[in-house]
Amino acid sequence: MSDSGAENADKGAENELPEKVEPVKLLETSADPAPQEEEDVEEYLKSKNIILLDYEKQMFLDLVEADGLLVCAKGLNYDRVVISILKAYSDSGNLVLVINSSDWEEQYYKSKMEPKYVHEVANTANERERVYLEGGLQFISTRILVVDLLKQRIPIELISGIIVMRAHTIIESCQEAFALRLYRQKNKTGFVKAFSSSPEAFTIGYSHVERTMRNLFVKQLYIWPRFHESVRAVLQPWKIQSIEMHVPISQSITSIQSHILEIMNFLVQEIKRINRTVDMEAVTVENCVTKTFHKILQAQLDCIWHQLNSQTKLIVADLKILRSLMISTMYHDAVSAYAFMKRYRSTEYALSNSGWTLLDAAEQIFKLSRQRVVNGQQEFEPEPCPKWQTLTDLLTKEIPGDMQRSRRSEQPKVLILCQDARTCHQLKQYLTQGGPRFLLQQALHHEVPVGKLSDNYAKESQTRGATPKDVSSNKDTRKEEVSGSQPPPAGMDELAQLLSESETEGQHFEESYMLTMTQPVEIEPAIDIKPDPDVSIFETIPELEQFDVTAALASVPHQPYICLQTFKTEREGSMALERMLEQLQPHYVVMYNMNVTVIRQLEVFEARRRLPPAERMKVYFLIHARTVEEQAYLTSLRREKAAFELIIDTKSKMVIPKYQDGKTDEAFLLFKNYDDELTDENAKSRQAGGQAPEAPKETPKVIVDMREFRSDLPCLIHKRGLEVLPLTITIGDYILTPEICVERKSISDLIGSLNSGRLYNQCVQMQRHYAKPILLIEFDQNKPFHLQGKFMLSQQTSMANADIVQKLQLLTLHFPKLRLIWSPSPYATAQLFEELKLGKPEPDPQTAAALGSDEPTAGEQLRFNSGIYDFLLRLPGVHTRNIHGLLRKGGSLRQLLLRSQKELEELLQSQESAKLLYDILHVAHLPEKDEVVGSTALLAASKQFGAGSHNRFRMAAAASRRGRR
């Protein structure tokens, strides 16, 4: 155990950049404020009851002074800066919109604001219009915002500004970029302030930073890494007391780790050997063990996935599996790791993998995993997790001893931080039940054969199982049942109880637990869980009235009060840890797993408290040195540092146009403006020498169904200069002209619609009401433009794929007028829509909304029986332009059969159409002899037309033969 100071807590994070980059100069976001201005800011923040660190004040000043994108390191949360800006604009005279925030961010910021300024988003359009006019703050979903902006329900000119969260996700085609473009086109004075804490995201793709800033309409980029001089100056004086505890791992785990890395190395070399022409730079063993490996792999291989052979795809899948095996070995208990390992020892998996299970290293992995659970005599003796004993020593010896040395009389509190809920649950079970009982419970849960227990294991299990009896008198009976600390009866009842416990636990684990010690220090600790494990902060537990925590802790003043917590929770995200630190005010923090973000959160928390060194919290890091765990931590640090270096370098070379903020019309000149288009000189000369006055060209309009605003296409259509009209329509998704109706389907939606029969009904409706129905099959722009293959089309068998193709063929046979368009991306679709509309009349929103509805309209097609309408439309010579005249004057089908060809010509207004219709009604159409079916078809036809059936066809055929003679 070595005291290494705060520098080790953030390994390498404070290292300076290489000499060629000058971070201090490039990171100067703005000049130091004048003393008077700084005093004003201090007074303002104090009046709003906001306490900011110095670097946070600088962030606040930068963003108040000018719009921009702020990118900060993970852990240096910008939440207080956002709160300061929101409070600065909290007034009924301002309307501030916050977009792209997660649910837990929205709840957190709302809780920090005055309720009278925060307005909930109304469900109805009229209510939303009223709420917009009330001003204040609105956390709104972007889809609703885009529709309201297009329908002008929101007073765009009166919006004070928009705050964008998670700005690294803003791409050109997303809804947030669409909303910002609509906002900037009509509002030149409001602000746009964007925040992001994911620098690595800006390294993916070409010039991601510049494109994001262009989409946000901002000109300033503020960069705040951990090695920023201002951040270091704030955190260094209040550095945490950190103690690194290098926990040795067993020889079995070391060997398993070595063998898994050996197999990974072999597979990485194999994948590079097979694909020499493909860039596989990101596929390295170092990246394979990181958490973001699947994202790196997806970004690199998605576009060429259909070009890779089956062996490469198997290797990619196996690399993910091997990473899971590594995590299970390092972090899970021996029994769970062995059960997980057994899944890949089956015959089915051996036949479907890339062949790694046949390697000698794989055999060693399976053998060593079993040895961790069963000893040499084939007795059940599972190996405990390496960190368990170290954690026990910390809680029973190190922390109580430190409390005595420091002569603290207050109640000590310990916060144990884990990477996930599963680890959190594992520690709770270990501390409440003891390791042996927990491992036996895991064996029963995973159906691992227990057989005979070893003598050492049985003795230890009995010792730990009897411990809670000593404290049972101090606890309420109900609490014992909840914590499971009361020893169960022997025999089958114990097995039944353990099995039932595992079943009730299932795979759902809580993200936080509150525990307290009630044992003397000399005996191993029995820790009892509070009545309600769902609630992480003890002040909010309703059972506190029945369970007097203060009295319980006062009786044992030097025993730790323990809280188990994950790094972040689903309900509160990373804010859960910050709230826990503020309310619990722990004296000791045990980092059971390593995490860069959490270490920085602890540093910032300590800097806010400004306590003397003796009163600061001690942080213990439990880490397996020279293992995959340490390597993954260092890799995440290195990747973040490299990302910031790239962003800093980009900022130094970036050329930003003056008009990029959108406050002048120059920013929108790249989009087509049909009102300002002028025809060329040749066109003018044809109009009587250019003397004829030319009417202004109308902006093309596209009617878009409201449900389509979940996709990227409306945004890209608008960007090409077309006017988007949001409307709830029942037929089609996009109406381009009075005749052209488009039904858009993604690949997954196409498969589902074909299988359910929904697409057939949609095509029936389109063909009934529109002359040119179009089925648009759109591919993802990040995926290959390639339909064949099990991976892209469906995860089912090839028979199902063939079935899909057959259904597409049937669809084209049933609807001859249906056009199929295959589009590689939404960008191509937007361009296609623009070309389809050239020179065509604009669609009418009222007509489009009325079609297909139950209400009667002026449309002629609704006056007739839809079944007769569809039948006639399928006859040769009948189309959408003449069917209404035929329905009005044709009478009935019987009367239609009696009409001559001349009369049909008058009805259809076409000689050719009349002949086609007359022939299909009066001439017998028998198969020709030279057709594929040949004589078989003729024989079937002669039988069909025998014995008085179909006399009309026989008479017509005879008449036609006489006529030819």
Side-chain angles (χ1 to χ4, degrees):
M1 186 162 58
S2 61
D3 190 348
S4 53
E7 292 81 12
N8 286 343
D10 201 356
K11 287 189 174 182
E14 295 187 16
N15 294 345
E16 297 295 335
L17 288 177
E19 292 181 3
K20 61 178 181 179
V21 182
E22 298 181 21
V24 177
K25 290 182 181 179
L26 293 173
L27 290 170
E28 285 178 349
T29 49
S30 65
D32 290 332
Q36 182 63 39
E37 182 186 351
E38 194 166 342
E39 288 176 13
D40 294 343
V41 171
E42 288 283 355
E43 289 179 9
Y44 165 74
L45 293 174
K46 194 176 291 184
S47 68
K48 293 288 185 180
N49 196 22
I50 301 172
I51 301 173
L52 296 181
L53 299 173
D54 289 345
Y55 73 86
E56 291 176 328
K57 289 176 190 170
Q58 189 61 47
M59 289 180 184
F60 175 69
L61 286 170
D62 290 340
L63 283 167
V64 167
E65 183 182 345
D67 295 354
L69 166 62
L70 185 143
V71 181
C72 72
K74 291 179 179 177
L76 306 180
N77 290 340
Y78 50 71
D79 54 292
R80 289 175 186 257
V81 181
V82 176
I83 291 169
S84 305
I85 293 173
L86 290 175
K87 286 192 174 182
Y89 288 96
S90 290
D91 190 85
S92 56
N94 294 323
L95 175 58
V96 178
L97 305 176
V98 182
I99 61 174
N100 203 32
S101 61
S102 60
D103 292 340
W104 60 265
E105 281 178 318
E106 181 179 334
Q107 295 303 321
Y108 174 76
Y109 290 127
K110 282 180 178 179
S111 67
K112 298 293 183 182
M113 296 291 112
E114 292 184 48
K116 64 179 180 179
Y117 295 128
V118 179
H119 299 296
E120 297 294 334
V121 178
N123 293 325
T124 63
N126 293 333
E127 275 291 308
R128 285 203 301 275
E129 283 189 55
R130 183 184 61 77
V131 172
Y132 289 140
L133 293 173
E134 290 179 2
L137 308 174
Q138 287 236 5
F139 292 82
I140 188 168
S141 74
T142 323
R143 193 167 67 90
I144 294 174
L145 177 61
V146 165
V147 173
D148 286 349
L149 288 169
L150 287 170
K151 286 184 168 286
Q152 298 182 349
R153 292 176 183 147
I154 183 169
I156 301 177
E157 297 81 5
L158 302 180
I159 298 175
S160 303
I162 296 179
I163 293 177
V164 186
M165 313 302 294
R166 298 182 297 171
H168 53 274
T169 62
I170 307 299
I171 58 173
E172 185 181 39
S173 59
C174 70
Q175 296 294 323
E176 288 75 21
F178 192 6
L180 288 167
R181 195 180 325 123
L182 292 169
Y183 161 69
R184 263 292 172 248
Q185 280 181 339
K186 294 188 178 180
N187 188 325
K188 308 295 184 186
T189 57
F191 64 79
V192 175
K193 304 185 190 304
F195 297 86
S196 173
S197 60
S198 181
E200 291 97 334
F202 290 101
T203 63
I204 300 171
Y206 177 70
S207 63
H208 195 154
V209 181
E210 295 98 312
R211 286 187 287 116
T212 303
M213 291 176 66
R214 193 162 57 243
N215 296 331
L216 291 167
F217 293 98
V218 295
K219 293 163 65 175
Q220 298 296 327
L221 175 62
Y222 306 112
I223 311 168
W224 289 89
R226 173 63 179 82
F227 52 77
H228 194 295
E229 190 61 39
S230 300
V231 178
R232 294 176 62 190
V234 170
L235 299 183
Q236 190 66 24
W238 314 101
K239 60 184 179 182
I240 56 178
Q241 302 179 62
S242 62
I243 300 171
E244 263 190 35
M245 307 185 73
H246 289 182
V247 182
I249 57 176
S250 66
Q251 185 58 41
S252 300
I253 298 178
T254 306
S255 302
I256 292 173
Q257 175 185 281
S258 302
H259 289 311
I260 291 178
L261 289 174
E262 181 185 338
I263 297 172
M264 277 185 166
N265 190 41
F266 168 74
L267 292 180
V268 165
Q269 291 178 355
E270 189 70 10
I271 201 173
K272 290 182 177 179
R273 183 188 65 80
I274 297 172
N275 304 279
R276 295 185 185 277
T277 58
V278 179
D279 180 19
M280 292 283 180
E281 185 182 351
V283 184
T284 62
V285 175
E286 183 184 7
N287 283 337
C288 286
V289 298
T290 59
K291 189 184 293 185
T292 56
F293 172 62
H294 65 285
K295 293 182 181 177
I296 299 170
L297 210 60
Q298 191 174 8
Q300 192 152 4
L301 298 181
D302 250 354
C303 296
I304 56 167
W305 186 259
H306 66 294
Q307 299 173 4
L308 303 177
N309 58 21
S310 58
Q311 183 68 8
T312 304
K313 295 176 183 178
L314 289 174
I315 291 175
V316 169
D318 288 342
L319 283 173
K320 293 180 182 178
I321 289 170
L322 286 166
R323 181 179 176 275
S324 302
L325 294 177
M326 180 79 78
I327 290 171
S328 180
T329 304
M330 294 296 298
Y331 300 124
H332 299 166
D333 59 272
V335 176
S336 300
Y338 173 58
F340 186 61
M341 208 74 79
K342 278 177 64 180
R343 296 184 197 173
Y344 303 104
R345 196 71 194 272
S346 63
T347 309
E348 293 79 9
Y349 180 72
L351 295 173
S352 62
N353 69 7
S354 60
W356 69 270
T357 51
L358 303 177
L359 299 174
D360 293 339
E363 188 63 32
Q364 288 298 316
I365 290 172
F366 296 129
K367 182 180 176 183
L368 290 166
S369 296
R370 178 171 172 76
Q371 287 178 3
R372 292 184 66 205
V373 178
V374 180
N375 62 15
Q377 286 75 37
Q378 301 301 309
E379 296 174 332
F380 183 72
E381 189 178 359
E383 177 185 295
C385 291
K387 290 184 181 180
W388 283 358
Q389 188 58 46
T390 309
L391 181 63
T392 303
D393 292 342
L394 262 180
L395 298 177
T396 58
K397 299 174 185 175
E398 178 70 24
I399 291 177
D402 186 73
M403 292 296 299
Q404 291 174 357
R405 286 192 296 272
S406 60
R407 295 194 174 99
R408 289 187 181 179
S409 59
E410 60 208 308
Q411 300 279 347
K413 306 182 191 78
V414 182
L415 177 61
I416 303 175
L417 297 173
C418 313
Q419 64 180 359
D420 54 23
R422 183 186 185 122
T423 308
C424 203
H425 172 76
Q426 178 199 103
L427 289 182
K428 190 267 290 186
Q429 294 293 90
Y430 164 69
L431 292 171
T432 53
Q433 298 182 357
R437 291 188 73 247
F438 171 63
L439 292 172
L440 179 60
Q441 177 183 321
Q442 290 296 98
L444 294 170
H445 174 66
H446 293 292
E447 299 181 356
V448 174
V450 175
K452 183 183 177 184
L453 302 181
S454 70
D455 295 338
N456 293 336
Y457 179 81
K459 187 188 298 181
E460 198 175 344
S461 176
Q462 289 171 4
T463 305
R464 292 303 297 264
T467 305
K469 291 181 181 178
D470 300 333
V471 296
S472 59
S473 59
N474 299 330
K475 296 286 179 285
D476 189 1
T477 308
R478 184 169 58 84
K479 296 179 183 63
E480 290 175 10
E481 292 172 358
V482 174
S483 65
S485 59
Q486 187 178 12
M492 290 301 294
D493 292 338
E494 181 182 4
L495 291 175
Q497 181 178 348
L498 288 172
L499 193 59
S500 64
E501 280 180 11
S502 63
E503 286 174 357
T504 53
E505 291 289 339
Q507 289 301 310
H508 175 71
F509 305 117
E510 302 299 334
E511 294 167 323
S512 56
Y513 300 95
M514 299 295 293
L515 311 172
T516 181
M517 279 189 178
T518 54
Q519 282 280 95
V521 182
E522 293 78 20
I523 308 175
E524 286 188 328
I527 302 171
D528 199 308
I529 190 169
K530 282 198 173 181
D532 189 358
D534 296 334
V535 184
S536 59
I537 306 301
F538 58 88
E539 283 84 358
T540 60
I541 296 178
E543 285 82 354
L544 265 180
E545 297 174 359
Q546 303 171 12
F547 181 44
D548 192 350
V549 178
T550 309
L553 292 178
S555 62
V556 279
H558 295 294
Q559 289 294 350
Y561 186 67
I562 299 165
C563 175
L564 295 168
Q565 172 81 34
T566 53
F567 293 150
K568 56 184 180 180
T569 63
E570 289 184 12
R571 190 174 54 187
E572 295 179 278
S574 57
M575 297 300 170
L577 176 58
E578 189 172 325
R579 188 165 70 91
M580 172 69 76
L581 289 170
E582 287 177 0
Q583 298 193 14
L584 188 63
Q585 297 287 327
H587 303 105
Y588 301 93
V589 176
V590 179
M591 293 282 294
Y592 193 78
N593 304 115
M594 299 300 289
N595 185 279
V596 181
T597 307
V598 174
I599 292 171
R600 289 174 184 161
Q601 283 182 286
L602 295 174
E603 286 185 299
V604 172
F605 172 70
E606 201 58 73
R608 292 194 204 284
R609 294 204 299 179
R610 296 173 174 264
L611 296 177
E615 296 180 22
R616 293 176 199 162
M617 63 184 178
K618 276 192 175 181
V619 181
Y620 295 92
F621 298 97
L622 304 187
I623 187 167
H624 298 306
R626 295 181 296 279
T627 61
V628 171
E629 181 184 29
E630 185 182 42
Q631 183 59 47
Y633 171 72
L634 295 175
T635 300
S636 63
L637 269 179
R638 180 186 58 77
R639 290 185 67 235
E640 186 194 66
K641 186 164 175 279
F644 270 119
E645 288 179 15
L646 176 66
I647 296 172
I648 293 168
D649 188 50
T650 304
K651 182 179 179 179
S652 66
K653 301 173 182 176
M654 197 161 42
V655 178
I656 300 176
K658 285 179 65 178
Y659 56 78
Q660 184 164 297
D661 56 4
K663 294 185 178 179
T664 60
D665 287 331
E666 291 179 77
F668 302 100
L669 289 179
L670 297 176
F671 310 135
K672 291 189 178 179
N673 193 345
Y674 288 87
D675 294 334
D676 299 334
E677 272 191 3
L678 298 175
T679 51
D680 56 14
E681 295 301 321
N682 292 334
K684 285 185 177 180
S685 64
R686 286 196 295 271
Q687 296 178 359
Q691 297 175 11
E694 195 168 306
K697 198 166 184 180
E698 187 181 2
T699 304
K701 297 179 179 63
V702 176
I703 295 173
V704 181
D705 186 31
M706 299 283 266
R707 293 175 287 270
E708 277 297 300
F709 281 92
R710 295 187 182 93
S711 67
D712 297 343
L713 189 53
C715 172
L716 297 174
I717 291 173
H718 182 269
K719 191 165 185 180
R720 295 195 71 88
L722 280 69
E723 185 180 344
V724 175
L725 302 177
L727 202 66
T728 302
I729 52 178
T730 56
I731 300 173
D733 293 326
Y734 298 85
I735 311 298
L736 305 184
T737 71
E739 291 187 343
I740 299 177
C741 172
V742 179
E743 179 71 31
R744 187 190 71 88
K745 296 288 181 188
S746 62
I747 296 299
S748 57
D749 195 18
L750 174 71
I751 295 169
S753 300
L754 283 171
N755 288 334
S756 66
R758 189 173 77 250
L759 183 57
Y760 179 86
N761 296 329
Q762 289 169 335
C763 291
V764 167
Q765 292 287 330
M766 283 198 298
Q767 184 167 281
R768 181 179 299 162
H769 297 285
Y770 291 95
K772 296 175 182 175
I774 294 175
L775 174 62
L776 170 72
I777 301 171
E778 189 177 82
F779 286 73
D780 187 348
Q781 59 190 352
N782 298 319
K783 303 280 186 183
F785 186 39
H786 187 85
L787 181 65
Q788 296 176 3
K790 181 171 63 175
F791 180 79
M792 282 305 301
L793 189 63
S794 169
Q795 294 296 330
Q796 300 169 356
T797 59
S798 56
M799 289 299 292
N801 297 347
D803 189 40
I804 295 295
V805 175
Q806 289 171 6
K807 286 178 180 175
L808 270 177
Q809 292 169 345
L810 282 173
L811 196 72
T812 55
L813 289 173
H814 274 287
F815 305 102
K817 295 179 182 178
L818 181 69
R819 273 80 163 177
L820 259 66
I821 295 179
W822 301 81
S823 174
S825 71
Y827 289 88
T829 305
Q831 181 182 351
L832 177 71
F833 281 6
E834 185 182 14
E835 293 170 358
L836 284 173
K837 284 187 63 62
L838 287 176
K840 303 288 194 310
E842 300 303 327
D844 180 27
Q846 292 182 345
T847 306
L851 291 180
S853 64
D854 297 332
E855 300 175 7
T857 62
E860 292 183 358
Q861 62 272 28
L862 296 181
R863 298 178 183 175
F864 309 110
N865 186 322
S866 59
I868 299 295
Y869 181 91
D870 292 338
F871 172 75
L872 287 178
L873 207 56
R874 284 185 170 86
L875 295 176
V878 181
H879 46 76
T880 52
R881 284 190 290 273
N882 58 27
I883 187 170
H884 298 301
L886 187 63
L887 286 167
R888 279 198 306 270
K889 301 175 184 176
S892 64
L893 285 175
R894 182 181 294 277
Q895 292 173 356
L896 200 63
L897 287 169
L898 299 175
R899 291 183 183 272
S900 65
Q901 187 170 335
K902 189 72 175 172
E903 291 173 326
L904 289 177
E905 187 178 328
E906 293 176 3
L907 280 176
L908 301 177
Q909 301 294 316
S910 168
Q911 185 177 358
E912 184 180 354
S913 298
K915 186 175 186 313
L916 288 171
L917 181 60
Y918 185 83
D919 286 349
I920 198 66
L921 293 174
H922 296 90
V923 178
H925 294 269
L926 297 177
E928 298 292 337
K929 292 184 180 181
D930 56 350
E931 285 188 356
V932 178
V933 287
S935 56
T936 308
L938 285 172
L939 182 62
S942 63
K943 290 180 180 178
Q944 182 181 0
F945 294 151
S949 63
H950 296 83
N951 288 326
R952 179 171 58 81
F953 286 103
R954 294 171 65 195
M955 291 167 59
S960 64
R961 282 198 297 272
R962 283 197 298 273
R964 282 199 295 270
R965 289 174 191 159

